[in-house]
Amino acid sequence: MKFVKPLLRILLVIVVVVGVVFAITQRAHQTCNELDIESAYQRENLPVTEAEIAETIQKADVALGKQVKEIDLKAVHNAIANNALIRSIDHIGFRGSNLVVKLTLEEILMQVFCANEQHYFITTNGKVLPYTERIKERLIIVNGESLPTQKKASIQKGTMQSIFAMAKYITQTSDREAQYRQIHLNSKKQIELVPTIGNYTILFGDTSRMEEKFAALDHFFQQVTTTDRGDEYKHLDVRFKNKIIAS
């Protein structure tokens, strides 16, 4: 009797393995007739829809109507890999005979307007994208006379690195993001902020002591709100340590 339980366990394992092998074999001969696209995106308006991604795969003729065993997953990957609005393709596999594609979409941080009327996007991870009307989100607007064109834009150095860091910092909180929607680079290559409320500009200079400068602005706005004197100022200068020059 002491051999019965181990024998039953072995038989159970064999049955399970045979069942799994049989299921896999059966699925391999099934025809793929559906695509399940699952996209991860933190905002509301998808820059590219799941239906459009599915259509791209269909046009490539690499999945639908084929037996599962005939589908080349690398070919499916290649069919959508060149879409600039896709950040990463996280998984391609099967759920039954359905082809499942899981991916993460790019999230746009800011829209840059150059002096030559060219404009482009920069994503939250620093990728530069050409302008497209598909982007419907409310973004940080960046403009100025000395901004690089799309071909020369890079957040790895210089002014664009500072502007990118500031835009990332602004979007860390919903209150700050609601208050500051425009970053301007003036003729002296100094950063200015244009608040959403009021008729004044904020001369920020550069992004040194950035957190300190924003904290000083928060304190200043709390004071002027209390005294109702906010409309008296046209310019705020936060370049200097421990003080704000209002004029």
Side-chain angles (χ1 to χ4, degrees):
M1 292 294 294
K2 66 179 180 179
F3 297 107
V4 173
K5 286 185 177 180
L7 183 60
L8 288 175
R9 291 194 187 100
I10 294 172
L11 289 173
L12 180 61
V13 170
I14 292 173
V15 169
V16 170
V17 170
V18 170
V20 170
V21 171
F22 178 78
I24 293 174
T25 303
Q26 287 294 103
R27 188 186 70 179
H29 289 85
Q30 291 178 340
T31 300
C32 176
N33 291 315
E34 289 189 35
L35 298 175
D36 294 335
I37 311 297
E38 301 175 11
S39 56
Y41 188 66
Q42 298 298 318
R43 302 189 180 224
E44 293 182 5
N45 302 309
L46 293 173
V48 56
T49 67
E50 294 170 353
E52 289 168 329
I53 294 169
E55 184 180 358
T56 300
I57 295 174
Q58 290 179 39
K59 287 182 177 179
D61 192 26
V62 292
L64 292 184
K66 298 180 182 294
Q67 288 188 342
V68 170
K69 66 178 182 178
E70 298 174 337
I71 296 175
D72 182 354
L73 298 185
K74 186 176 181 180
V76 176
H77 180 282
N78 292 341
I80 58 176
N82 290 330
N83 190 319
L85 296 172
I86 296 176
R87 176 171 295 183
S88 63
I89 301 170
D90 307 316
H91 170 77
I92 300 177
F94 293 97
R95 186 183 295 128
S97 60
N98 291 3
L99 179 66
V100 179
V101 179
K102 298 181 181 181
L103 44 84
T104 302
L105 300 180
E106 290 287 0
E107 294 186 28
I108 312 300
L109 175 67
M110 57 192 189
Q111 184 172 356
V112 182
F113 291 82
C114 300
N116 63 358
E117 299 185 356
Q118 183 193 65
H119 46 129
Y120 53 90
F121 298 110
I122 295 182
T123 69
T124 54
N125 63 347
K127 184 178 179 180
V128 179
L129 297 178
Y131 173 77
T132 170
E133 293 182 354
R134 305 179 69 84
I135 307 300
K136 304 297 184 182
E137 303 293 349
R138 191 180 179 193
L139 307 171
I140 299 289
I141 298 300
V142 180
N143 60 8
E145 300 177 8
S146 304
L147 293 169
T149 60
Q150 179 189 329
K151 289 184 178 181
K152 295 182 179 180
S154 171
I155 58 94
Q156 302 299 325
K157 58 183 179 180
T159 304
M160 289 305 295
Q161 184 180 42
S162 298
I163 290 175
F164 177 76
M166 176 176 283
K168 290 277 284 187
Y169 185 79
I170 288 172
T171 56
Q172 283 179 3
T173 68
S174 57
D175 288 344
R176 195 181 298 132
E177 187 174 6
Q179 188 170 6
Y180 306 109
R181 302 299 308 180
Q182 183 176 346
I183 301 172
H184 178 75
L185 188 67
N186 66 24
S187 58
K188 296 181 180 179
K189 294 189 177 183
Q190 295 177 319
I191 295 174
E192 298 176 347
L193 281 176
V194 182
T196 54
I197 300 176
N199 296 314
Y200 55 90
T201 59
I202 302 168
L203 181 56
F204 215 88
D206 56 33
T207 51
S208 63
R209 306 181 359 262
M210 182 165 59
E211 293 186 18
E212 178 187 320
K213 292 175 183 178
F214 275 108
L217 282 170
D218 291 342
H219 180 68
F220 175 83
F221 289 132
Q222 288 174 0
Q223 289 183 322
V224 298
T225 300
T226 302
T227 59
D228 197 26
R229 295 176 56 198
D231 292 337
E232 294 183 9
Y233 308 112
K234 297 299 181 184
H235 304 282
L236 301 179
D237 189 340
V238 297
R239 292 176 296 169
F240 307 103
K241 192 174 180 64
N242 297 326
K243 65 178 178 180
I244 293 179
I245 300 174
S247 60

